[in-house]
Amino acid sequence: MTRYADIPKPIRSGIVVVDPERGTPQRIIVLQFNPDTLERSLAPQAAGGAGDGGGGGGGSGGDRNEALRLKGPAEETWKFTAEIDATDQFDVAAPDGIHPELATLEMLVHPTTAQLLEASRLTKKGTIEISPIEMPLTLFTWGSKRVMPVRLTELSINESAFDVNLNPIRASLSIGMKVLSVSDLPAGHRGADLYMAHLAQKERLARAARSGGLAALGLAGRDAGPGRG
């Protein structure tokens, strides 16, 4: 008889906030439930697109020379819905409901009060140019084969249940992320190295896929050269 203890626990997805200088985790956010679905989008960075003056079939010879060229890695975005439910964790005290969990995620898109006060101090001091506040490096993990540097682009929260003190105890969160590639990060940045590892993992998985045959496409006996009339 199979015992419950013998059933492997599923790996959780989550977010790791990393110190970009030391590479050490500052905070690990484990999602309470793995999202049921993921929406991913990849937009190629084509070299001869409309933004570069390309005009389709009427483009110049220079545009046609760029048709198969890429300026960098594809721009990849992720969207999913995460659920947080304090009623599913009766063994964990929650005097503040799920406020702490929500605040942890919200701080991924907020600078800290210390950073804002420092920026204000520099402004009062007369500093001419103040650099935008740099946030910690954020990684999204979906199993061991998907670990990538990201920036949150969307965080929409729907609170659907509250305790007697109006603390939220159940919420769904729509989360959007942009994968940060070597096109987004400076050379030598730890996030750029992590992106390269993420891309190398894709290459390994692609090599593991079985290749089809021309016969399956109805092209048996034909080569990959110019089409025949």
Side-chain angles (χ1 to χ4, degrees):
M1 178 181 294
T2 300
R3 298 175 301 171
Y4 287 112
D6 297 329
I7 301 175
K9 293 183 178 180
I11 294 175
R12 300 286 187 86
S13 55
I15 297 171
V16 182
V17 181
V18 177
D19 184 322
E21 297 295 330
R22 300 181 178 86
T24 55
Q26 294 181 329
R27 180 179 288 274
I28 300 174
I29 303 170
V30 180
L31 298 184
Q32 185 178 356
F33 308 104
N34 286 329
D36 292 328
T37 60
L38 292 173
E39 179 183 344
R40 301 194 299 122
S41 175
L42 289 88
Q45 291 196 61
D52 296 329
S60 65
D63 295 331
R64 290 194 292 272
N65 290 336
E66 301 294 322
L68 298 178
R69 296 183 183 273
L70 296 174
K71 294 183 290 186
E75 295 184 351
E76 184 175 355
T77 58
W78 289 54
K79 290 184 180 180
F80 58 89
T81 299
E83 305 284 341
I84 304 177
D85 190 347
T87 63
D88 190 66
Q89 304 180 93
F90 288 114
D91 55 332
V92 179
D96 299 316
I98 60 173
H99 270 307
E101 290 80 1
L102 294 177
T104 299
L105 290 167
E106 290 176 50
M107 287 307 300
L108 296 177
V109 295
H110 281 298
T112 65
T113 54
Q115 289 172 320
L116 291 174
L117 290 171
E118 176 62 13
S120 177
R121 184 187 70 80
L122 292 174
T123 300
K124 292 178 181 178
K125 188 179 177 181
T127 302
I128 297 176
E129 183 176 353
I130 301 175
S131 299
I133 296 171
E134 182 172 358
M135 299 297 287
L137 175 62
T138 305
L139 306 178
F140 178 64
T141 71
W142 185 272
S144 60
K145 296 179 178 62
R146 289 174 170 174
V147 179
M148 67 214 82
V150 298
R151 179 179 66 237
L152 262 69
T153 57
E154 176 188 344
L155 181 59
S156 178
I157 303 169
N158 180 12
E159 299 175 0
S160 56
F162 305 85
D163 64 17
V164 294
N165 295 315
L166 292 184
N167 294 310
I169 57 174
R170 186 184 305 123
S172 62
L173 301 91
S174 297
I175 299 176
M177 298 176 171
K178 179 185 186 300
V179 178
L180 298 178
S181 74
V182 292
S183 298
D184 303 303
L185 298 164
H189 193 282
R190 190 174 299 274
D193 294 338
L194 290 166
Y195 175 79
M196 291 296 285
H198 168 61
L199 188 58
Q201 178 68 275
K202 285 182 183 287
E203 293 171 355
R204 286 191 291 270
L205 292 171
R207 287 194 296 269
R210 295 181 59 185
S211 178
L214 290 176
L217 304 176
L219 302 176
R222 299 178 59 138
D223 59 27
R228 301 171 183 174

